[in-house]
Every structure is written in structure tokens, then in C-alpha cells.
């Protein structure tokens, strides 16, 4: 079976990292990295500031982004929609605080990674 004939790997024709018989597309990688970063940021917020809210929010939103990456890898359109919605929510949360107080961690990184994720998902969604 040809790698590109698999309907689950419909993005592999243009933006892909190929490894023998597997194909992981770029939107999956970007969304998974953003999700892992958000989970890590929630854990670091808990460790540094004993913020349970940071741990809970980071775990939920990061977990949803990781779920989104999994669904996108399976070719399920709802995964892209979920990733876009969660990324926009994170941008909406961290964007105003970035404008008030310019902090690289976590504000700038969440906003930049969120914009990259939304752009990648929108591009792949409408392709």
C-alpha cells in the first residue's frame, strides 16, 4: 500500500516527516509540541508558585491539545477544530497579560506557539 493512498494520512503529500512506513504530518507535530509545552508550563507553575490553578488549567488545556494532535493524526476533522479552539482560548488568556507586562515565560511563548498552532491548523484544515 502506498503511503499517500492511506486516507488517514491525507496531509502527508505536502507537509510531512516520513519514516519508512509511517507518516506524521506537520500539524500533528506542532499541536503536540504546544500541548506538551502547556502541560509542562502548568507543572512548572505548580512547582515554582504552588499554583494548583496553573497545574489544573495546564493539564486540561495541554491534554486537550494532545488529544487534538491524536485526532488529527487519525484524520478526524474535529481534532483540528479542537486544537484551534483551545489555542485561541490560550491566546485570549495570555495575550492581554503579555500586553500589560511583557514576560517571555509563559506569556510570550504561549502566544507565539498558539499563533503558530492556529496558523498551521487553519492552513491544513482549509487545504
Amino acid at each position: 500500500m502506498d503511503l499517500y493512498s492511506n486516507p488517514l494520512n491525507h496531509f502527508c503529500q505536502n507537509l510531512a516527516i516520513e519514516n519508512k512506513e509511517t507518516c506524521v504530518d506537520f500539524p500533528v507535530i506542532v499541536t503536540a509540541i504546544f500541548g506538551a509545552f502547556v502541560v509542562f508550563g502548568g507543572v512548572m507553575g505548580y512547582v515554582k508558585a504552588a499554583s494548583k490553578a496553573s497545574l489544573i488549567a495546564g493539564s486540561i488545556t495541554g491534554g486537550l491539545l494532545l488529544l487534538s494532535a491524536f485526532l488529527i493524526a487519525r484524520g478526524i476533522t474535529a481534532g483540528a477544530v479542537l486544537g484551534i479552539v483551545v489555542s485561541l482560548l490560550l491566546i485570549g488568556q495570555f495575550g492581554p497579560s503579555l500586553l500589560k507586562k511583557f514576560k517571555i515565560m509563559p506569556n510570550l511563548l504561549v502566544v507565539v506557539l498558539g499563533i503558530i498552532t492556529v496558523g498551521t491548523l487553519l492552513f491544513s484544515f482549509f487545504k
Side-chain angles (χ1 to χ4, degrees):
M1 180 164 131
D2 183 16
L3 181 64
Y4 300 120
S5 65
N6 185 348
L8 297 178
N9 292 325
H10 58 282
F11 296 115
C12 293
Q13 295 172 359
N14 296 322
L15 299 172
I17 296 173
E18 297 178 44
N19 182 10
K20 294 184 183 177
E21 294 182 9
T22 63
C23 175
V24 178
D25 56 292
F26 192 65
V28 173
I29 295 169
V30 170
T31 307
I33 289 172
F34 187 35
F37 174 78
V38 171
V39 170
F40 178 74
V43 170
M44 289 307 297
Y46 179 73
V47 169
K48 287 190 172 193
S51 171
K52 290 182 184 177
S54 179
L55 179 64
I56 293 167
S59 298
I60 291 172
T61 55
L64 287 172
L65 286 166
L66 292 171
L67 174 63
S68 169
F70 175 77
L71 294 174
I72 295 167
R74 295 284 182 213
I76 300 171
T77 305
V81 174
L82 176 64
I84 291 168
V85 169
V86 173
S87 297
L88 288 174
L89 288 172
L90 286 168
I91 292 168
Q93 176 66 35
F94 285 88
S97 60
L98 175 65
L99 294 176
K100 279 183 175 179
K101 185 188 271 187
F102 187 82
K103 288 175 39 181
I104 292 176
M105 275 296 280
N107 299 345
L108 180 64
L109 286 176
V110 170
V111 170
V112 169
L113 289 175
I115 290 170
I116 291 170
T117 303
V118 168
T120 304
L121 292 174
L122 284 174
F123 178 78
S124 67
F125 188 73
F126 289 112
K127 187 150 175 72

